[in-house]
Amino acid sequence: MSNENNEKKSKFKGLLLLLLLFIPIATTTFVVFQLSQRNIKNILEIKNELQEILDKKLNQKWQIEELQKEIDKKWGTGQITVKFVPIIEYGKNEAFNNVSNISFHKPYNDIYTFIGNASRENDFTYNGSINLIHSYSDINAKIRPISDIETYLQRILDSRKGKVWSKTELEQEVVNRGLDVKGGILVEEINVKNNRSSETKSRNTTWKFIGQADDNNDFHFNASISLEHSWNNKIDTTENIRNKTTITKLQNLLDSKNYKNKTWTAELLKNEIVKQDIDVSLEFGGITVQEVETTLETRSFTGGQKVTTWKFTGHGNLDNNGRYYGNVTLNHEWNDTKDTTQEINVIKDELIDLVNSIEYKNKNWTKDDLQDAINAKWVGAGITVEEKLVSQTRSWDEKQQTTIWTFTGNGDVTNQHPYKNTVDIKHNWVELISTTKNIEEIKSELVNILNEKKENAWSQEELQTKVDELYGTKEITVIDPNENNVIHYSMKIKSGKSWIFRGNGEKDSTTNKFKYYGEESITHEWFETISNTISVKNLKDDLQILLDSQSNKQHPWDILKLQNALDNKYGANAIIVNISQQKIPNESGDHYDKYKFTGKSIGINGHQYIDEIELIHIWNPSIK
């Protein structure tokens, strides 16, 4: 019989071990990848804390809803999902009974899967999964002496190190740990001893645990046992290493100037933490550092951008001088590319030739023009241009001028630009007399010409003829920028058309024969009565039907496609549409997108569309 039991135990161990190992395998690759992206932790790091929660119930089964609430209470709702793994009920098996010194009658071993829900789409902390065993018993047989659970009672006492237990708290914790029901075990405080006299006192309290079981009740333990609780009133000042201030200090240390182009070693990093007084040394509970991985952003024989992930773990607690507990993972970005940039002076002669080219013998460069010329000649070189000195004397007499331009090479080890540092280049040029006037000087005359027509519009041809008569042929070009520029006020409408008058001369030119340069945009306004306007508000039903078309019930409109649909129906740009609001979907998944339709110009039916209206498009990706 003994051999048969041993064989069963062996098979069960194998089955359970395989189950515990297999389920997390699928998540391993994903977990490692995620850890390299940001500070997501593997749920394996809180294995012991999860097991402690399971072990609170030694004598009864967890209900999945109750267990989920306990997990949510400690780590937050949604962080970790608990699932029960169905397993057959086992007979007594010492290998999996985590309270093996108690002679339970029907030990059970339930398996629970804890799944971390962290991903790129949320701010949760843990990912991956882990399987843990909850061992418990259904005690419904004989009464046992309370000494059978001495170890577990002592663990309860020792779980509180910085504060004394009260009678009520201790009796309730016995119930919370599942050792017995309320009233089954009572406690009495026997005495308190102070071990030494100081500001921080070490104390011992003796508690007597009294089992209340007898033949007249359902309690489990009888007799009594006295146990000692050692504690002190020292205040624990350690902080979570994940606080914002500490993270900033550690990140600034990683990003130190001397480590922009090289990585840290764990030893150097650990020593620098102490040197900069971020924490004490490890022997006093300080921070340890661990290199998680180094990711190469580029592949090159000359080096490149790299990211090294470091894990900082604080070992501070009540019993040492360490300042932090917990851990945090941070990235160190560095670049070991070799500097191959050259001094910009190597192209100084070419810059002199460019700046003093024949085209700019009698005129000054503008910064933009010179920058464009540099970019065209040295494509992608990253050279920037600044005007350093401009002659302060300007006159209409012929005069020798000098402008100094500073050229800056922006190359370094972090980019591919070939030149570094700066060089100044002189531009010597002769300023000549210019007689060309800005067309702005005759703006009022052009306005008077436009206003000769009070009740109708000019045509481009007749307006050009009029301007040529007054100012000379080809001196000024009349441009019609918009053939249908009409402003509506009522059925008796004020109409307006913008005209651009462009002088064909060049500013400061001594070779151009025309009198005027620049351009002026002037609006000719007149009043006329029309009867073909239509308010877009009258098109409300038609526009709503267009919005709610079957092809767009599951997704939002593409604004360009919606505009094309309007153009096809009413004429190009007769009605303009813009999206004015997108609301977050409600619980049923309905999206409410608000669109504004504005009448702008004459449509294909000859009507002028005016006014504006807002309509809502309701769509749901779940609609079949």
Side-chain angles (χ1 to χ4, degrees):
M1 187 66 179
S2 175
N3 290 336
E4 184 179 347
N5 287 336
N6 289 335
E7 185 178 351
K8 287 182 178 179
K9 291 178 182 179
S10 178
K11 289 182 178 179
F12 172 66
K13 289 180 181 178
L15 173 63
L16 196 57
L17 183 60
L18 284 174
L19 182 60
L20 291 173
L21 292 175
F22 176 74
I23 295 177
I25 266 178
T27 63
T28 300
T29 302
F30 175 74
V31 169
V32 172
F33 175 77
Q34 286 293 321
L35 281 171
S36 67
Q37 301 302 308
R38 62 185 181 87
N39 296 332
I40 294 178
K41 301 179 182 179
N42 193 306
I43 199 169
L44 291 171
E45 294 188 22
I46 56 171
K47 172 183 176 182
N48 292 338
E49 294 173 77
L50 293 169
Q51 188 66 57
E52 285 178 5
I53 292 177
L54 285 178
D55 291 344
K56 284 183 178 181
K57 291 197 174 188
L58 298 178
N59 299 324
Q60 61 186 116
K61 179 184 182 71
W62 277 100
Q63 296 301 316
I64 193 70
E65 297 82 7
E66 182 185 14
L67 182 55
Q68 184 67 64
K69 286 181 180 178
E70 284 289 313
I71 296 300
D72 291 349
K73 181 179 178 181
K74 184 170 180 65
W75 284 284
T77 303
Q79 280 271 12
I80 298 170
T81 300
V82 184
K83 292 184 179 181
F84 175 74
V85 180
I87 294 290
I88 62 171
E89 178 179 323
Y90 295 96
K92 182 176 180 182
N93 190 316
E94 296 294 331
F96 294 94
N97 188 350
N98 62 355
V99 285
S100 57
N101 66 324
I102 301 177
S103 180
F104 293 134
H105 296 279
K106 292 177 62 181
Y108 294 82
N109 295 284
D110 290 344
I111 297 177
Y112 292 88
T113 298
F114 298 83
I115 304 169
N117 294 315
S119 69
R120 292 182 178 178
E121 288 71 41
N122 58 48
D123 294 323
F124 294 157
T125 304
Y126 301 98
N127 67 1
S129 65
I130 186 174
N131 296 321
L132 297 176
I133 299 171
H134 174 220
S135 296
Y136 64 96
S137 293
D138 179 12
I139 303 177
N140 55 14
K142 66 178 183 179
I143 297 172
R144 288 178 303 287
I146 200 168
S147 59
D148 283 358
I149 57 171
E150 176 183 353
T151 300
Y152 304 98
L153 295 173
Q154 188 66 55
R155 286 179 185 173
I156 292 175
L157 288 174
D158 295 342
S159 65
R160 180 175 288 186
K161 297 184 180 299
K163 181 181 177 183
V164 68
W165 287 95
S166 69
K167 172 180 171 64
T168 302
E169 290 174 331
L170 190 51
E171 288 180 350
Q172 184 58 48
E173 189 65 16
V174 169
V175 176
N176 292 344
R177 296 293 183 102
L179 296 179
D180 211 335
V181 297
K182 189 174 182 62
I185 298 176
L186 302 180
V187 300
E188 292 180 3
E189 183 179 350
I190 298 177
N191 63 356
V192 178
K193 295 180 181 179
N194 291 340
N195 288 349
R196 65 175 185 266
S197 176
S198 65
E199 186 176 336
T200 300
K201 296 179 179 180
S202 177
R203 303 181 180 184
N204 294 322
T205 303
T206 302
W207 289 94
K208 185 177 183 180
F209 295 83
I210 308 164
Q212 303 297 311
D214 58 33
D215 293 335
N216 299 317
N217 59 40
D218 294 326
F219 300 142
H220 304 315
F221 303 99
N222 64 9
S224 64
I225 186 172
S226 295
L227 300 173
E228 191 171 88
H229 174 215
S230 297
W231 57 283
N232 60 60
N233 61 353
K234 182 179 179 181
I235 299 175
D236 189 354
T237 59
T238 54
E239 299 180 71
N240 192 327
I241 199 171
R242 297 180 68 83
N243 72 81
K244 184 177 180 181
T245 300
T246 305
I247 288 177
T248 300
K249 289 180 180 179
L250 293 172
Q251 190 64 62
N252 288 341
L253 174 59
L254 285 175
D255 298 337
S256 299
K257 182 179 180 180
N258 292 338
Y259 287 86
K260 296 289 186 184
N261 307 122
K262 63 181 178 180
T263 189
W264 290 86
T265 65
E267 187 67 20
L268 286 173
L269 195 53
K270 181 184 67 174
N271 292 340
E272 197 65 23
I273 288 173
V274 177
K275 183 178 179 181
Q276 295 193 18
D277 196 30
I278 298 174
D279 202 356
V280 297
S281 61
L282 180 59
E283 61 185 302
F284 299 110
I287 295 172
T288 57
V289 295
Q290 175 190 355
E291 182 179 349
V292 179
E293 68 171 337
T294 296
T295 302
L296 278 65
E297 299 294 334
T298 59
R299 295 182 179 275
S300 171
F301 291 111
T302 58
Q305 189 73 26
K306 296 178 177 64
V307 178
T308 302
T309 301
W310 291 96
K311 181 178 181 181
F312 298 84
T313 302
H315 299 277
N317 57 46
L318 191 66
D319 300 319
N320 61 39
N321 295 323
R323 300 170 190 172
Y324 308 104
Y325 65 88
N327 61 73
V328 65
T329 304
L330 301 175
N331 289 334
H332 172 219
E333 297 182 3
W334 53 286
N335 191 325
D336 62 349
T337 303
K338 295 178 182 177
D339 188 358
T340 58
T341 55
Q342 296 178 282
E343 292 289 338
I344 198 170
N345 268 317
V346 300
I347 58 169
K348 181 176 181 179
D349 291 342
E350 294 176 78
L351 290 171
I352 291 174
D353 291 342
L354 174 66
V355 169
N356 293 284
S357 59
I358 294 177
E359 182 182 354
Y360 284 85
K361 180 179 180 181
N362 299 124
K363 64 179 179 178
N364 193 21
W365 286 91
T366 66
K367 177 181 175 180
D368 289 343
D369 287 345
L370 186 53
Q371 185 68 66
D372 289 344
I374 292 295
N375 294 345
K377 184 173 179 62
W378 289 278
V379 177
I383 300 173
T384 53
V385 177
E386 290 293 337
E387 185 174 1
K388 185 174 183 179
L389 176 65
V390 179
S391 173
Q392 300 300 311
T393 303
R394 298 284 186 182
S395 72
W396 292 107
D397 298 327
E398 182 175 313
K399 183 175 179 65
Q400 183 72 32
Q401 302 281 14
T402 299
T403 306
I404 298 178
W405 294 95
T406 298
F407 297 84
T408 302
N410 294 293
D412 58 36
V413 296
T414 65
N415 58 46
Q416 301 297 317
H417 301 322
Y419 306 110
K420 61 186 176 182
N421 296 329
T422 62
V423 62
D424 290 340
I425 304 295
K426 286 184 180 181
H427 175 211
N428 298 312
W429 55 286
V430 177
E431 185 177 4
L432 301 178
I433 298 173
S434 173
T435 59
T436 309
K437 299 179 180 179
N438 192 325
I439 198 170
E440 186 180 52
E441 296 182 21
I442 59 169
K443 179 177 180 179
S444 60
E445 298 175 23
L446 297 172
V447 171
N448 291 336
I449 294 174
L450 287 175
N451 291 338
E452 289 180 7
K453 289 201 173 190
K454 304 292 186 182
E455 297 181 353
N456 57 0
W458 287 90
S459 70
Q460 183 174 6
E461 183 178 357
E462 61 181 341
L463 184 56
Q464 182 67 66
T465 300
K466 184 71 174 179
V467 169
D468 288 347
E469 290 175 358
L470 293 176
Y471 299 101
T473 304
K474 295 185 179 181
E475 282 287 349
I476 298 172
T477 300
V478 177
I479 301 170
D480 183 359
N482 189 340
E483 295 181 358
N484 296 303
N485 182 16
V486 181
I487 307 170
H488 297 280
Y489 294 97
S490 64
M491 296 304 290
K492 175 109 176 152
I493 67 168
K494 181 181 180 181
S495 299
K497 178 183 285 294
S498 293
W499 295 96
I500 293 176
F501 298 86
R502 179 178 294 160
N504 293 318
E506 295 180 8
K507 182 181 179 180
D508 298 334
S509 172
T510 58
T511 58
N512 190 291
K513 63 182 179 180
F514 298 113
K515 301 175 184 177
Y516 303 102
Y517 68 88
E519 64 180 40
E520 282 291 331
S521 177
I522 304 174
T523 300
H524 173 217
E525 297 180 345
W526 71 95
F527 289 89
E528 62 180 331
T529 302
I530 64 171
S531 59
N532 65 338
T533 58
I534 294 179
S535 172
V536 293
K537 295 177 181 179
N538 295 335
L539 305 175
K540 176 181 178 180
D541 292 340
D542 290 341
L543 294 173
Q544 189 66 59
I545 290 172
L546 176 61
L547 275 179
D548 296 336
S549 60
Q550 184 65 34
S551 61
N552 285 278
K553 287 186 178 296
Q554 292 179 293
H555 55 78
W557 272 95
D558 181 292
I559 194 67
L560 294 178
K561 290 183 179 179
L562 183 55
Q563 184 64 60
N564 288 338
L566 289 171
D567 292 348
N568 292 336
K569 188 173 181 65
Y570 299 102
N573 296 319
I575 298 174
I576 302 300
V577 62
N578 290 289
I579 186 163
S580 58
Q581 188 178 42
Q582 289 181 306
K583 288 187 176 181
I584 297 173
N586 59 25
E587 293 180 356
S588 62
D590 291 336
H591 294 249
Y592 293 79
D593 297 343
K594 185 181 288 186
Y595 292 86
K596 180 185 285 186
F597 298 82
T598 305
K600 286 293 186 180
S601 59
I602 295 175
I604 55 180
N605 52 14
H607 292 297
Q608 178 69 47
Y609 294 99
I610 62 174
D611 298 329
E612 62 184 27
I613 187 173
E614 289 187 330
L615 298 174
I616 294 174
H617 174 222
I618 302 174
W619 59 279
N620 191 317
S622 300
I623 295 177
K624 301 298 182 182

